[in-house]
Amino acid sequence: MKQFIIILTYSLFLLHSLNGFSQLPQVKSYYPSAGLQAKVLEYGFGEELFAPSLYYKATFLNNRGTYFSFGASAYPTLTVSPSNYKGTVIFGAELPLTIELYTNNIERDYFFFGFGVTSGYYAIREFDNLGGFGPHFVMGGSLPLLRGEIGYKGSFTYYRNSLQGTLGFYYQIGYGY
């Protein structure tokens, strides 16, 4: 009889604690953003190319905290230019994936930096292209603006024979989940 009471007490305690977990407020862990960036590519023997582009920033946070948070981001990027002038990229697509460390609260002004990999392809001229797979470094932050966050980021990428640097701005769209 004593064992039955102990087992029943532990079972009720376990059920009560599980019920408490289900009533916790939902914590947002996905932060979507859209932005514009300017990319400069060093190509070949010191030739520099300019590539304005649009990108989407999809960030997932694992442990949203007050001072530090770890996350993973993807930055799918699309570059299209109507000009085939010598120093302009005609078409480009890139997908950087990074692991990032965020300081401060992600829903207010924050700073982040991260490392990862990227894969991309750029059509430069009629028969000239650049593509590959390589390391990616990103850093940036945000400031509150009206009801949302406006962010800024800079990144460096290297693949094949090209060192690339970007500077961009983004705005958090939606509220994620």
Side-chain angles (χ1 to χ4, degrees), residues 2 5 13 17 27 48 53 61 64 69 75 80 92 98-99 104 108 110 114 120 123 127 140 142 148 151 176-177:
K2 187 176 183 182
I5 293 174
F13 178 73
S17 65
V27 176
E48 293 179 356
S53 54
L61 291 182
R64 193 184 93 185
S69 298
Y75 299 90
V80 177
T98 61
I99 302 296
N104 210 351
R108 285 181 273 145
Y110 59 85
F127 297 108
S142 80
Y177 54 88

Side-chain angles (χ1 to χ4, degrees), residues 49-161:
L49 305 171
F50 176 71
S53 54
L54 299 170
Y55 71 97
Y56 181 78
K57 179 180 185 279
T59 301
F60 291 93
L61 291 182
N62 186 20
N63 62 339
R64 193 184 93 185
T66 306
Y67 302 108
F68 293 103
S69 298
F70 289 100
S73 292
Y75 299 90
T77 304
L78 182 63
T79 301
V80 177
S81 177
S83 171
N84 60 356
Y85 176 70
K86 181 180 176 185
T88 306
V89 171
I90 298 170
F91 173 79
E94 190 174 24
L95 180 61
L97 302 171
T98 61
I99 302 296
E100 299 169 341
L101 172 69
Y102 288 82
T103 62
N104 210 351
N105 188 343
I106 186 103
E107 294 186 358
R108 285 181 273 145
D109 51 328
Y110 59 85
F111 178 78
F112 71 93
F113 64 94
F115 297 97
V117 295
T118 187
S119 177
Y121 173 81
Y122 291 94
I124 298 168
R125 284 182 278 282
E126 196 171 313
F127 297 108
D128 205 5
N129 61 34
L130 171 69
F133 184 78
H136 183 77
F137 171 75
V138 64
M139 61 188 305
S142 80
L143 299 168
L145 177 71
L146 300 174
R147 291 182 162 182
E149 295 282 323
I150 187 160
Y152 54 91
K153 79 168 189 77
S155 66
F156 290 101
T157 303
Y158 178 80
Y159 42 75
R160 212 165 70 183
N161 296 324

Side-chain angles (χ1 to χ4, degrees), residues 11-35:
S11 300
L12 290 174
F13 178 73
L14 180 64
L15 286 174
H16 180 67
S17 65
L18 291 176
N19 185 28
F21 285 133
S22 68
Q23 295 175 2
L24 291 174
Q26 293 292 330
V27 176
K28 185 167 74 165
S29 62
Y30 173 62
Y31 296 87
S33 302

